[in-house]
Amino acid sequence: MMRGVVDRQRCSANLERLCQGLHDYAHANPSSVPEDPTGTAARLSESLYLAHSTSDRKFSRICASGYLVSASRLAQSRGKPVAPRCAEALMGTGESVFFYVSPFRYPHTACGLLFAGTLELERKNDGVATPFDSGGLLRIFARPDPAESPQEFLWRHEMPIPEHRRCLRLSMGLLFQKAEDYVEGLKPHRPGPIGLTSPGDERRWTHEVRIPDRVLLRSKHLQAVFAPLERAAHDPATQELFRWCAEKGVDHFTLDAPRGGEFEALQKRCLDYIRKLY
């Protein structure tokens, strides 16, 4: 498949199969969970932002360049190939920029960006989604059939964007005690039909969106920016982005966290921000 070209027919078929699988699973495993009685799952699944978090050091480069870039593009700019043993190379996702449809989930990060879901609509012809973190298929999650390759498992679960949010709505409404539990990072009441098991954290059931090559930072889709206070105070590239955000009315926040607690502070502030959608 050529870069930037998505087999939407295959992805749409996957979406229909996954949605039907959720309905069948819920009917075969009755419990006290009703199907989205308050409509919260429908509302949240449509309004949740696309979250991308990164290290403090890499954030400065993103601010300076004005783009989120894939591992392949970054390696090419440095005149080097993608490291052959990294997750992106092994999974064939090295040409992707990664997002979670949730608060920030990836640990060991200190800075974050939230984009509106309208980015999915703009990139619907070249982006895909999965109902789990693709990198976790290699070293974190246990697949139901170990004989199936991680790449094949990923291929069977890729869905088109923004249509994948229908699957997200069903997951939030059928698997969780409350739809908000998905956002809060609480375990689902029902494990679900996909069959990924522990070891693994909330990334096992968090929707991931992958957009190829690069994503413009200063765009109409940028919703919020989070950066450590020290970086916002001393890094010119971060300061310039914050000035742009102030001019454009984009929310931007500084985080004051002790060393070693950067991700916890980032995730908490992001979660507080997203809770306004409830």
Side-chain angles (χ1 to χ4, degrees):
M1 183 181 298
M2 294 175 60
R3 185 172 73 178
V5 177
V6 170
D7 184 349
R8 285 183 63 83
Q9 184 175 2
R10 171 181 64 83
C11 291
S12 294
N14 286 345
L15 173 63
E16 296 304 322
R17 175 176 51 80
L18 291 170
C19 288
Q20 186 60 52
L22 281 165
H23 280 300
D24 294 345
Y25 174 87
H27 293 155
N29 296 272
S31 70
S32 59
V33 180
E35 184 177 347
D36 194 23
T38 64
T40 305
R43 186 174 69 257
L44 277 179
S45 62
E46 290 298 319
S47 60
L48 280 176
Y49 308 119
L50 298 171
H52 179 98
S53 62
T54 187
S55 69
D56 191 27
R57 177 179 56 84
K58 291 180 180 178
F59 186 71
S60 181
R61 174 185 55 77
I62 291 170
C63 293
S65 70
Y67 287 93
L68 301 177
V69 299
S70 67
S72 294
R73 176 177 272 269
L74 182 60
Q76 184 180 24
S77 69
R78 295 173 174 174
K80 299 178 180 179
V82 176
R85 300 303 299 173
C86 76
E88 293 89 348
L90 293 171
M91 291 300 299
T93 57
E95 294 182 345
S96 298
V97 178
F98 296 83
F99 300 90
Y100 291 124
V101 189
S102 73
F104 306 117
R105 300 281 203 221
Y106 195 79
H108 314 301
T109 55
C111 306
L113 303 159
L114 295 180
F115 290 81
T118 50
L119 177 61
E120 291 186 28
L121 186 61
E122 182 178 279
R123 300 297 296 269
K124 66 179 182 179
N125 291 324
D126 59 4
V128 295
T130 53
F132 48 76
D133 177 298
S134 59
L137 295 176
L138 286 174
R139 305 182 182 97
I140 302 175
F141 314 141
R143 301 184 305 282
D145 180 7
E148 183 181 29
S149 72
Q151 296 81 2
E152 178 67 18
F153 189 89
L154 179 65
W155 187 84
R156 290 196 302 107
H157 290 85
E158 289 180 338
M159 298 175 286
I161 61 173
E163 293 89 345
H164 77 101
R165 290 180 182 249
R166 178 157 59 94
C167 179
L168 176 59
R169 173 179 62 79
L170 290 173
S171 294
M172 294 170 71
L174 293 172
L175 303 182
F176 290 84
Q177 193 72 46
K178 297 183 299 181
E180 301 94 317
D181 290 350
Y182 168 89
V183 182
E184 299 286 337
L186 302 178
K187 288 184 178 179
H189 182 75
R190 298 169 171 145
I194 291 178
L196 294 175
T197 56
S198 296
D201 54 23
E202 62 267 26
R203 288 172 286 171
R204 178 165 48 90
W205 37 259
T206 298
H207 274 226
E208 172 188 276
V209 167
R210 304 196 313 273
I211 294 177
D213 196 28
R214 64 181 187 173
V215 171
L216 180 65
L217 177 60
R218 295 172 178 83
S219 75
K220 62 183 179 181
H221 309 295
L222 187 60
Q223 177 73 33
V225 180
F226 305 81
L229 178 61
E230 188 72 12
R231 177 153 296 280
H234 300 291
D235 178 54
T238 302
Q239 292 172 346
E240 178 60 32
L241 176 62
F242 271 42
R243 282 193 291 269
W244 181 89
C245 288
E247 293 172 0
K248 299 297 182 181
V250 175
D251 295 327
H252 48 292
F253 306 95
T254 56
L255 310 169
D256 191 7
R259 184 174 295 276
E262 293 87 355
F263 175 69
E264 288 73 17
L266 172 66
Q267 189 179 51
K268 181 180 184 302
R269 187 64 187 87
C270 178
L271 187 54
D272 289 343
Y273 183 81
I274 290 178
R275 284 185 179 128
K276 67 184 182 180
L277 299 175
Y278 295 5

